[in-house]
Amino acid sequence: MEPIIRKKLVRKNKILKLIQKESKKKYGKVRGSQVKGKVFKLVRLEQPMEFLDLTEPEKTKMNYQYFRSEEILERIQKSNLTGLSGNGFSTYEKIRTVYKSRSKSKVLIINAVECDPGLLHDEWLLHNKKREVHMGIELLSSCIPFQKVILASKEAIPSSEITCYQVPNRYPMGAEKLLIQQVLGQELASEEIPADKGILVLNVQTVLAIGEIVMEQKSFQSRYLTVADLTTGEAKVVKAYLGSNAKQVLERVFRKQERKVAYYGGGAMMAEPLTETSVITEKTNFIGYSYGNVFDDFAKCVKCGECTKHCPMNLDVRKMIQLMENGKYTEVMAYHPDQCIQCGTCSYYCRAGKNVMGMIADLRENVR
């Protein structure tokens, strides 16, 4: 998995530059962020309601009855629902950990930040599936007595039902611990687990899915994702079944394009080449076309410092790369590559065109 777009390529594309400018203007200037990355949106919907549903029409309706917390948790457990931000972690286990936490002040944060530049479906859900999202929030709140329920988004969304927090338009603001630090002012160590502290962070689509699973007694069968062309900035929100052939979904939206490279994965900052057998999973947020040969790992570091400048974890990335280029791999460990969150910001900004994130990931894997 790696980023499939670079700053240098964006600068050469007038359409992508315009979309980034629009994104910067749309969300305004929200100050106070520790996150330094300015990787703005690279895709947009031509129509606000643009949506393609590849699943069968639903015949069931929400059954508005009272559920005991045990029933809610049991249905979530049986559904095998995982976090739809792409982490693949069991939603039931996460909720149960918060449920059992000894924290006296429990907090629910709905993560609708969607900071990856190639994704749009979470924002679409906020505007078009409000009722379903709020139902998921109500069900979770009936299980756990939250002192705070916060919807975190780059947009200023007025609501009389929950607290809405507008985060700065920075990348990767949606990373769990960075978001907690921004919203709650609480910094957690790398080994600390938010759920143990009574903090439940769930992606907005995961919250929506909880409402559907519990109220409609459905299994976890489909998900929303963004299908996009990173060379033109075009995108569409798609709902598809898990297990669907990803290549067929892409060609259904944009047709087959031989001169472009097809990818799928967590987003524009974390994807891999698409094959004939690639299928949509709970971790698939993105399917799309991009430029080929984005990186050249044999290129020499130009010592520009952009990687270090934009690292959200404040790591001296440039120093690590220079040490690796000189074969001094053991010395790199003193600069804490284990704290890298694999956001890909360093690779996006690298002027030499190196996949810096990938190099650090390989180092960590080999050291193990």
Side-chain angles (χ1 to χ4, degrees):
M1 291 280 189
E2 63 183 33
I4 56 174
I5 194 71
R6 287 174 51 206
K7 183 66 176 178
K8 184 177 181 179
L9 296 175
V10 176
R11 285 175 176 167
K12 293 180 178 180
N13 189 313
K14 292 182 179 179
I15 299 175
L16 298 186
K17 284 176 65 177
L18 177 61
I19 293 174
Q20 283 204 328
K21 185 176 180 180
E22 291 173 350
S23 171
K24 186 176 180 180
K25 182 178 180 180
K26 176 181 178 180
Y27 300 114
K29 294 182 179 180
V30 180
R31 301 185 182 280
S33 172
Q34 297 297 316
V35 179
K36 298 173 287 187
K38 297 180 179 179
V39 188
F40 302 117
K41 291 295 180 185
L42 293 169
V43 293
R44 63 185 175 192
L45 300 176
E46 294 303 320
Q47 301 293 330
M49 293 292 289
E50 193 144 7
F51 171 64
L52 177 62
D53 191 347
L54 299 180
T55 63
E56 295 294 328
E58 296 290 347
K59 296 181 180 180
T60 58
K61 293 184 179 180
M62 282 193 175
N63 180 16
Y64 288 96
Q65 67 182 62
Y66 173 77
F67 291 98
R68 291 180 292 108
S69 60
E70 292 82 2
E71 292 177 294
I72 295 171
L73 292 173
E74 183 181 5
R75 292 189 180 187
I76 294 172
Q77 182 182 25
K78 287 182 177 179
S79 72
N80 294 317
L81 177 66
T82 63
L84 295 177
S85 63
N87 59 31
F89 189 77
S90 168
T91 300
Y92 168 75
E93 291 297 335
K94 201 170 187 180
I95 295 171
R96 190 179 69 165
T97 302
V98 175
Y99 182 81
K100 292 184 175 182
S101 170
R102 295 182 179 181
S103 173
K104 295 180 180 179
S105 179
K106 296 181 179 180
V107 180
L108 169 62
I109 300 177
I110 301 97
N111 186 349
V113 176
E114 195 173 51
C115 52
D116 186 281
L119 302 181
L120 292 172
H121 55 274
D122 279 358
E123 183 177 324
W124 185 90
L125 290 173
L126 275 183
H127 291 282
N128 298 283
K129 296 291 180 179
K130 292 180 182 178
R131 173 173 163 270
E132 291 85 348
V133 172
H134 280 284
M135 180 54 63
I137 294 171
E138 289 180 19
L139 290 167
L140 287 166
S141 298
S142 67
C143 291
I144 302 173
F146 295 111
Q147 274 63 51
K148 293 181 182 178
V149 177
I150 303 170
L151 173 64
S153 169
K154 294 196 298 294
E155 292 186 88
I157 302 176
S159 175
S160 58
E161 300 173 348
I162 57 176
T163 301
C164 295
Y165 188 101
Q166 185 180 10
V167 302
N169 184 19
R170 295 296 181 92
Y171 178 82
M173 183 57 71
E176 188 167 272
K177 290 184 179 179
L178 293 177
L179 184 61
I180 290 171
Q181 183 179 359
Q182 179 69 37
V183 175
L184 301 179
Q186 186 173 342
E187 187 171 354
L188 299 178
S190 58
E191 68 276 6
E192 290 184 300
I193 300 173
D196 289 335
K197 304 291 183 180
I199 305 172
L200 179 60
V201 182
L202 293 176
N203 171 261
V204 65
Q205 184 175 178
T206 308
V207 175
L208 180 149
I210 288 172
E212 292 181 340
I213 288 166
V214 176
M215 303 303 289
E216 300 180 14
Q217 300 187 48
K218 292 171 55 178
S219 58
F220 176 37
Q221 297 179 334
S222 60
R223 64 158 300 140
Y224 293 88
L225 63 150
T226 302
V227 179
D229 187 334
L230 293 179
T231 68
T232 65
E234 299 173 274
K236 188 185 288 289
V237 175
V238 174
K239 185 179 182 183
Y241 284 121
L242 301 179
S244 299
N245 184 284
K247 190 171 185 290
Q248 291 177 5
V249 172
L250 175 60
E251 293 178 2
R252 173 85 177 265
V253 177
F254 289 114
R255 298 182 181 179
K256 190 173 184 178
Q257 301 189 40
E258 297 288 355
R259 295 185 179 181
K260 299 175 183 178
V261 180
Y263 295 90
Y264 84 127
M269 302 298 280
M270 186 63 71
E272 62 182 314
L274 193 63
T275 68
E276 296 289 340
T277 59
S278 299
V279 298
I280 295 172
T281 72
E282 68 276 3
K283 296 182 180 181
T284 309
N285 277 285
F286 172 89
I287 305 174
Y289 288 113
S290 187
Y291 302 91
N293 301 318
V294 176
F295 297 107
D296 178 10
D297 288 347
F298 293 101
K300 192 73 175 176
C301 173
V302 298
K303 303 179 182 179
C304 64
E306 290 292 309
C307 52
T308 298
K309 178 181 175 182
H310 292 98
C311 177
M313 304 307 292
N314 296 311
L315 302 178
D316 193 342
V317 184
R318 184 183 71 171
K319 187 64 177 179
M320 285 192 277
I321 294 301
Q322 290 174 349
L323 287 171
M324 280 190 275
E325 286 188 341
N326 291 316
K328 299 179 180 179
Y329 299 104
T330 55
E331 293 182 27
V332 178
M333 305 312 294
Y335 293 88
H336 308 291
D338 56 299
Q339 294 182 14
C340 170
I341 62 173
Q342 296 289 286
C343 66
T345 307
C346 50
S347 298
Y348 177 82
Y349 279 102
C350 180
R351 292 182 182 177
K354 301 169 75 69
N355 181 13
V356 179
M357 180 190 76
M359 294 176 67
I360 294 175
D362 290 343
L363 173 71
R364 289 167 58 180
E365 188 66 28
N366 292 330
V367 168
R368 288 179 188 174

